[in-house]
Amino acid sequence: MAAICVFCASSRTLDQRWLDLAAETGAELARRGHTLVSGGGCVGMMGALVDGARAAGGRTIGVIPQALVDLEVADLASDELLVTDGMASRKTLMIEKSDAFLTLPGGLGTLDELFEVWTTATLTMHTKPMALVDTDGFYRPLVDWLGGLADQAFLKPAGLALLTVTDTVPAALDALESHLT
């Protein structure tokens, strides 16, 4: 199957529902036979994600900068833990190691990763599918704003169409898998 990279929050102060969403996402990836590529952390949603994948028998690849390893937040239980010299090289390696991308709720780091992958796709630097999970309307304001960018010709409709937006993780995975076959 595919290596699917998941972007999500690593905050330690999130509501349990977000941790549950991440754990279920990891488990669903594993049940479908995919390898999980993550940011290599063991805290917040990222930690719940990798724990969920492993609990369901999945393989995990973590990609983390040395500075975060030094802060002792690395997922040392990863099947493969790749350490980079910084955040930029982390994103590059995550893109190289992945066949598709799924974005869960998150903050600045999550958005940075999403926009890096999406921007490089609009520039045809890769053709890997991307899905955004808009659980409970979490990303609705962003999606509306992006639609406004397209309406004003700051974003081409074809670029906007590269990102699939769904309400649920299973729908997001179905969309990614449909582009991988």
Side-chain angles (χ1 to χ4, degrees), residues 144-157 160:
D144 291 345
W145 179 75
L146 292 165
L149 288 180
D151 292 344
Q152 297 181 54
F154 285 101
L155 173 60
K156 294 178 182 175
L160 186 61

Side-chain angles (χ1 to χ4, degrees), residues 84-96:
T84 64
D85 61 1
M87 294 297 278
S89 55
R90 174 201 212 182
K91 290 183 287 188
T92 299
L93 190 54
M94 289 170 85
I95 292 169
E96 289 173 3

Side-chain angles (χ1 to χ4, degrees), residues 5-144:
C5 184
V6 177
F7 303 130
C8 62
S10 60
S11 171
R12 298 176 197 245
T13 60
L14 299 173
D15 289 342
Q16 186 62 43
R17 72 184 187 124
W18 300 119
L19 301 175
D20 294 344
L21 174 67
E24 181 53 37
T25 300
E28 184 67 15
L29 280 167
R31 282 192 292 271
R32 292 180 183 223
H34 300 299
T35 295
L36 168 63
V37 178
S38 78
C42 64
V43 295
M45 289 176 72
M46 199 180 306
L49 174 74
V50 296
D51 289 345
R54 281 194 290 272
R59 175 172 160 65
T60 61
I61 300 172
V63 184
I64 190 167
Q66 182 64 52
L68 295 180
V69 173
D70 295 344
L71 291 175
E72 299 181 352
V73 296
D75 177 26
L76 300 177
S78 285
D79 293 301
E80 187 177 353
L81 186 64
L82 306 170
V83 180
T84 64
D85 61 1
M87 294 297 278
S89 55
R90 174 201 212 182
K91 290 183 287 188
T92 299
L93 190 54
M94 289 170 85
I95 292 169
E96 289 173 3
K97 289 284 185 181
S98 302
D99 300 309
F101 305 91
L102 187 150
T103 303
L104 295 175
L108 292 176
T110 302
L111 291 172
D112 176 53
E113 293 163 336
L114 167 64
F115 283 117
E116 176 83 14
V117 168
W118 195 2
T119 299
T120 53
T122 64
L123 297 172
T124 64
M125 296 172 79
H126 71 82
T127 58
K128 300 172 183 181
M130 302 164 290
L132 178 72
V133 180
D134 186 27
T135 301
D136 297 335
F138 183 89
Y139 283 115
R140 178 56 37 210
L142 176 64
V143 170
D144 291 345

